[in-house]
Amino acid sequence: MQRREALKQTALFGVATALFPSLLQSCKETSRLNWQPQFLSVKHAELVSSLVDTLLPKTETPGALEMKVDMFIDLVYGKLNGEAGQETMDKGMDDFDARCKEKFGDRFADLSPENKAEFLKMEEANSPKFNGSIWGTAAGKQEPVGFYRNLKSTALWGYFSSEEIGLKVLTYDPVPGPYQGCIPLAEVGNTYSL
Amino acid sequence: MANFNIDAKKDMTYDAIVIGSGISGGWAAKELCESGLKTLVLERGRLVEHVIDYPTMNNDPWDTELRGAAAAEELKERQINARTGFVGENNIHFFAKDDENPYKEVKPFMWVRANQMGGRSLLWGKQCYRWSDLDFEANAKDGHGVDWPIRYNDIKDWYTYVEKFAGISGEAIGLPQLPDSHFLPPMELNCVEKDVKKRIEKEFPGRNMIIGRVAHLTEPLNGRGQCQSRNRCDRGCPYGAYFSSNAVTLPAANATGNLTIRPFSLADSIIYDEEKGKAVGVRVIDSETKEVLEYYAKIVFCNASTIGTTQLLLNSTSNRFENGLGNDSGELGHNLMDHTYRVGAMGKFEGHEDGYYKGRRPNGIYIPRYRNIDEKSTTDKFLRGYGYQGGAGRANWGAGANQEAFGGEFKDALMKPGDWEFFITGFAECLPYHENQVSLDKDKLDKWGRPTLVIDAEFKENELAINKQIQIDAVEMLEKAGLKDIVGFDNEHGMGYGIHEMGTARMGKDPKTSVLNATNQVHAVKNVFVTDGACMTSSSCVNPSLTYMALTARAANHAVSELKKKNL
Ligand SMILES: Cc1cc2nc3c(=O)[nH]c(=O)nc-3n(C[C@H](O)[C@H](O)[C@H](O)COP(=O)(O)OP(=O)(O)OC[C@H]3O[C@@H](n4cnc5c(N)ncnc54)[C@H](O)[C@@H]3O)c2cc1C
Ligand code: SF4
């Protein structure tokens, strides 16, 4: 469900594009929560917070933590996922941290920025991908993509559908008027938020 | 507009009763009211008044807790509708709850319902295409099903009539297999669609790629506003820019002063008078109080949606009609059809990186049927044909999920539009099979004590053969059009997903093999009309609702003239 919802917020459909892995720019320590999770355990919430901060750190534009993406994922976990989804995600988070410990001797939230980045690079390389989707449904048979890619997708959704990004960073155009099929991108700038 | 007359208590007798207020029922109400008939519309759901009852129409993603997604708890009551993938926080109130009309799926069948004033006219995709004689003659030519009792010429002017009032935008190109409508200006293709169109039409003579024909106003019409490309239609449109019963036909019916609409009125059965040899009214269960009421009228229009209407007719038994009203032929409930759907291909387009568009166009492209339309295009692999819907757009941040990257640069790069992507997905005709059917389970009752339905239907060899070809052609067209990273797919799920369910009370020339005559009257009970999808004799491959509108307007005007002649 969670992924389908995320996809519905994207363009018509989303065939993957491979970008060059970019360098990490954030070194923020986030293992102490400054919010109270409603649904996730504190341990899991700490993992989510540190993950979204590593995935979408602050630059000239706000980072995922400022946009409360971790709190949003807590809600998605509690209200969107249903019981089965919650169990899968719990297990995914425990496995994720167990692999982290095996590799670096610590859970993800407590790793150094360098180790976090290294670990996520491995996760990227090993995680299955989403099929393209059409009208909110995956095209072809979708194999499970695992905890990491699901979380990343939800983090993107939470970040880019947040009010500040939607109104101030992306191009907000609630009432576009008659459709214009072919205009210079330069006239628009950033992608549309709606 | 907040002045619908809902006081059906003071009068139990009307000139006409219309059951259901969706796309077809709205048209029946409008035509009958405008002809001066006092008309009662029975609607099983609540009132939904244009604009007033569209609470989510302006919501941005961040206005709801789950950013437009519906909570698992809310979806529990709508597991069947949720299978569409369309149900979210902003439109969930327009989808029916499953327990309001439970049914048994012998084979997977997704029955998508909207039980409120306006029915599915609030949710539909608005794609509108005329049928042609290729469709009306198909059964007669290949021997599947029975012959339609009408041809294109019988309904051509009625298409024009409903199109002028509904407002259909599109481009006239003169194809015999897809007759042009009376059009408002077409919506525009985007940069990539324009290129792909050129290439497909050049590489594949006989194939066309056109802008979708849709019930959206590209110019103001009758006080309704022009479409603003918000693509939030399924929450209700503040401008009334797309066709719905709520914004278009029911207000027109109401303006005559002849309309009474009774919400929460579940039509249970049609009352047949053995002596008079006709229907005299409708038995109704108040869905809130469970009170049973009887309303009387000279004519009854059944517009409860394909399966809903047939359920009602099957449940209308009498000494004369032990197996359902008008079921002398034994065909009532049979020949259920839908379109196959979700088979096609997608790919990336290189170029136009500096191009974009403005607006969320509530429409895409259409590739009209090109197989089995003449001798040259005839294949021996399958009967009938298919068309495609689709479109191009630029990926947004959603594409980031699959990118092997993360971090600040990654995030900031996602602020810009991504690759251009293009897809097409087929809609194929389904043959009318007698054994694809709905029937009543008298042992299992719904919460109002009505027998529930059993739906037993599947696509067969011909449809599956078409699906294969749909994917092959889709991939080939995308290749020749220069797309990259092409992926073909087949997500066929069984019937119902097309949400174009048709048949089960078909029209025909012969009362022995059909339920309705050429003017949608039950052969043996001429004052009962069925003008929703139940009446369809074959399924064509194009979207059906425009044809329901035209057939309804035609039948309603026939009913009025027959009433005047005292024939009913
Ligand atoms: C997401 C979606 C997209 C679609 N896209 C398209 C498209 O692009 N083009 C197209 O042509 N079609 C499309 N359709 C299909 C289209 O919506 C239907 O064909 C059309 O609405 C059928 O009209 P109708 O009058 O038969 O029934 P409906 O519009 O379904 O209305 C039936 C009404 O009858 C009421 N009712 C049912 N039973 C009873 C009863 N016993 N007593 C009283 N009232 C009753 C219901 O509450 C409802 O209001 C789409 C549908 C959906 C859901
Ligand atoms: S896209 Fe057009 S019809 Fe749909 S809600 Fe927006 S303005 Fe209304």
Side-chain angles (χ1 to χ4, degrees):
Chain A
M1 206 61 223
Q2 157 184 345
R3 158 190 141 73
R4 178 185 276 177
E5 290 308 331
L7 285 170
K8 257 196 285 187
Q9 315 297 321
T10 68
L12 290 172
F13 39 93
V15 182
T17 330
L19 267 197
F20 299 106
S22 51
L23 290 173
L24 271 187
Q25 297 175 331
S26 166
C27 322
K28 214 157 129 225
E29 175 56 70
T30 56
S31 59
R32 250 165 282 116
L33 282 187
N34 58 3
W35 57 283
Q36 182 64 43
Q38 290 184 53
F39 302 101
L40 290 165
S41 67
V42 170
K43 186 184 73 176
H44 285 158
E46 285 173 347
L47 170 62
V48 167
S49 285
S50 59
L51 256 170
V52 300
D53 187 40
T54 313
L55 289 167
L56 305 169
K58 182 173 171 59
T59 56
E60 290 104 75
T61 56
L65 293 181
E66 285 160 276
M67 295 300 103
K68 302 191 165 71
V69 172
D70 44 0
M71 295 169 77
F72 175 67
I73 292 175
D74 182 44
L75 280 183
V76 167
Y77 170 89
K79 297 198 171 180
L80 200 60
N81 274 353
E83 257 168 56
Q86 290 176 8
E87 275 168 32
T88 311
M89 192 162 153
D90 284 340
K91 189 170 175 310
M93 288 186 281
D94 291 339
D95 288 353
F96 187 88
D97 261 344
R99 270 179 281 130
C100 247
K101 266 198 185 127
E102 200 178 305
K103 174 94 183 151
F104 295 112
D106 244 332
R107 63 173 187 151
F108 186 80
D110 294 332
L111 298 184
S112 70
E114 293 72 27
N115 285 351
K116 279 181 179 158
E118 199 180 327
F119 191 70
L120 288 198
K121 270 184 202 158
M122 282 162 37
E123 286 295 312
E124 277 294 352
N126 297 330
S127 300
K129 296 199 170 150
F130 290 115
N131 296 1
S133 84
I134 285 173
W135 296 333
T137 306
K141 190 171 173 347
Q142 177 69 59
E143 300 301 337
V145 296
F147 163 72
Y148 171 72
R149 198 159 310 284
N150 257 321
L151 182 111
K152 186 181 179 196
S153 155
T154 313
L156 289 169
W157 173 30
Y159 180 79
F160 286 99
S161 66
S162 63
E163 184 163 4
E164 187 176 336
I165 302 299
L167 289 179
K168 296 193 192 138
V169 182
L170 299 179
T171 306
Y172 179 66
D173 192 8
V175 186
Y179 182 74
Q180 297 173 43
C182 208
I183 61 170
L185 174 57
E187 278 179 22
V188 182
N190 282 343
T191 193
Y192 296 113
S193 56
L194 302 175
Chain B
M1 246 279 293
N3 55 352
F4 279 101
N5 174 17
I6 56 165
D7 186 10
K9 272 263 151 65
K10 71 169 194 259
D11 204 346
M12 307 307 274
T13 303
Y14 295 82
D15 294 324
I17 292 174
V18 175
I19 302 166
S21 62
I23 290 185
S24 63
W27 270 102
K30 171 186 171 303
E31 295 304 306
L32 297 171
C33 285
E34 287 180 347
S35 301
L37 303 193
K38 292 281 174 203
T39 303
L40 172 67
V41 172
L42 297 169
E43 169 50 55
R44 68 176 289 167
R46 66 189 169 98
L47 278 190
V48 174
E49 293 206 37
H50 182 49
V51 184
I52 297 168
D53 292 317
Y54 303 157
T56 58
M57 64 186 178
N58 291 320
N59 276 357
D60 285 324
W62 46 87
D63 289 333
T64 56
E65 195 180 38
L66 294 171
R67 310 274 167 87
E73 196 53 40
E74 284 182 285
L75 286 174
K76 264 191 191 147
E77 298 178 305
R78 295 176 173 87
Q79 288 295 314
I80 296 169
N81 287 309
R83 287 194 229 157
T84 56
F86 296 141
V87 185
E89 184 62 24
N90 290 313
N91 63 14
I92 190 164
H93 49 286
F94 289 154
F95 284 93
K97 295 179 183 169
D98 299 333
D99 73 341
E100 285 176 355
N101 202 355
Y103 64 98
K104 183 174 166 200
E105 299 176 66
V106 177
K107 296 168 189 121
F109 188 97
M110 186 180 79
W111 185 16
V112 178
R113 287 154 291 170
N115 292 340
Q116 68 261 328
M117 173 178 161
R120 287 178 293 180
S121 76
L122 287 165
L123 294 171
W124 71 312
K126 289 94 57 190
Q127 295 284 319
C128 284
Y129 302 94
R130 287 191 185 190
W131 289 27
S132 69
D133 272 335
L134 189 67
D135 303 310
F136 292 111
E137 288 172 358
N139 286 2
K141 280 193 175 148
D142 63 34
H144 288 268
V146 295
D147 190 10
W148 277 89
I150 58 167
R151 289 293 181 265
Y152 180 60
N153 256 332
D154 294 308
I155 128 167
K156 186 170 173 243
D157 293 343
W158 291 104
Y159 274 128
T160 310
Y161 176 79
V162 295
E163 286 158 359
K164 282 187 174 163
F165 193 70
I168 312 292
S169 87
E171 186 190 4
I173 57 167
L175 295 180
Q177 74 272 33
L178 194 76
D180 296 323
S181 290
H182 174 88
F183 285 129
L184 299 174
M187 292 181 186
E188 215 189 316
L189 296 173
N190 62 40
C191 329
V192 165
E193 290 164 349
K194 284 177 189 161
D195 275 14
V196 171
K197 170 186 166 75
K198 262 187 228 143
R199 295 189 205 178
I200 287 181
E201 291 181 354
K202 177 167 166 278
E203 296 286 340
F204 301 92
R207 298 189 196 178
N208 298 276
M209 184 175 131
I210 60 177
I211 183 72
R213 298 173 172 178
V214 280
H216 282 262
L217 300 187
T218 47
E219 281 172 356
L221 180 71
N222 301 334
R224 295 162 54 207
Q226 183 178 2
C227 178
Q228 301 297 315
S229 315
R230 305 156 69 242
N231 202 16
R232 289 174 166 173
C233 317
D234 60 1
R235 314 166 181 192
C237 175
Y239 311 95
Y242 75 90
F243 176 88
S244 66
S245 303
N246 314 60
V248 188
T249 45
L250 292 174
N254 196 37
T256 64
N258 290 325
L259 176 74
T260 304
I261 179 162
R262 192 184 194 284
F264 302 114
S265 303
L266 180 57
D268 174 65
S269 55
I270 291 172
I271 307 163
Y272 178 75
D273 186 312
E274 313 261 343
E275 262 164 48
K276 292 186 179 141
K278 55 185 180 184
V280 290
V282 180
R283 195 168 295 111
V284 170
I285 304 170
D286 185 304
S287 62
E288 290 186 309
T289 64
K290 298 199 176 167
E291 186 186 356
V292 177
L293 302 141
E294 289 187 356
Y295 287 96
Y296 305 101
K298 294 173 201 146
I299 54 172
V300 176
F301 266 70
C302 300
N303 299 95
S305 85
T306 298
I307 298 175
T309 283
T310 294
Q311 180 174 19
L312 172 78
L313 293 173
L314 285 169
N315 199 36
S316 303
T317 50
S318 55
N319 288 332
R320 167 70 181 81
F321 295 109
E322 286 178 2
N323 300 314
L325 190 87
N327 194 11
D328 292 336
S329 62
E331 291 295 331
L332 184 65
H334 292 273
N335 313 295
L336 179 61
M337 299 167 279
D338 186 23
H339 289 146
T340 78
Y341 170 49
R342 291 187 174 167
V343 184
M346 56 168 76
K348 278 185 226 164
F349 187 93
E350 287 173 0
H352 290 298
E353 277 81 15
D354 53 359
Y356 208 16
Y357 36 79
K358 183 171 169 60
R360 297 174 295 286
R361 189 186 57 195
N363 186 15
I365 62 95
Y366 191 70
I367 299 178
R369 174 171 163 186
Y370 50 83
R371 297 246 184 229
N372 292 333
I373 58 173
D374 52 21
E375 232 167 89
K376 219 173 62 215
S377 63
T378 297
T379 165
D380 55 9
K381 289 190 209 147
F382 50 81
L383 300 165
R384 320 265 171 127
Y386 50 91
Y388 293 91
Q389 292 182 28
R394 290 196 78 157
N396 65 6
W397 47 265
N402 273 354
Q403 294 169 4
E404 291 189 17
F406 53 89
E409 270 177 42
F410 160 77
K411 182 194 75 181
D412 289 338
L414 289 175
M415 304 292 179
K416 297 281 178 220
D419 290 328
W420 279 99
E421 295 157 349
F422 178 77
F423 80 99
I424 52 176
T425 181
F427 284 79
E429 177 157 6
C430 164
L431 294 173
Y433 301 104
H434 180 79
E435 58 276 25
N436 277 349
Q437 63 161 320
V438 302
S439 54
L440 292 185
D441 182 349
K442 298 209 165 112
D443 296 326
K444 195 164 176 282
L445 306 180
D446 69 13
K447 64 182 183 193
W448 294 280
R450 296 198 315 159
T452 54
L453 274 177
V454 179
I455 305 183
D456 182 0
E458 64 182 352
F459 290 129
K460 297 181 195 285
E461 220 175 296
N462 196 64
E463 292 74 40
L464 301 180
I466 298 186
N467 276 353
K468 254 190 207 151
Q469 195 68 44
I470 286 179
Q471 190 177 162
I472 293 169
D473 287 7
V475 169
E476 198 185 20
M477 281 190 273
L478 265 49
E479 275 168 5
K480 291 268 172 71
L483 285 126
K484 300 281 168 352
D485 299 341
I486 296 163
V487 184
F489 57 88
D490 183 345
N491 282 45
E492 188 51 66
H493 286 290
M495 288 177 83
Y497 278 80
I499 328 184
H500 294 159
E501 70 286 354
M502 283 174 263
T504 63
R506 69 185 175 197
M507 292 167 76
K509 293 172 176 159
D510 184 353
K512 288 200 203 75
T513 56
S514 61
V515 182
L516 307 172
N517 70 12
T519 40
N520 297 71
Q521 295 163 280
V522 172
H523 283 299
V525 193
K526 292 274 190 301
N527 68 336
V528 175
F529 293 77
V530 176
T531 68
D532 58 21
C535 77
M536 304 302 270
T537 313
S538 70
S539 70
S540 173
C541 67
V542 304
N543 307 58
S545 306
L546 181 68
T547 301
Y548 307 164
M549 296 190 211
L551 286 173
T552 302
R554 176 174 176 267
N557 284 275
H558 179 73
V560 171
S561 91
E562 288 291 284
L563 271 179
K564 280 195 187 133
K565 292 186 209 145
K566 304 217 180 316
N567 287 343
L568 293 177

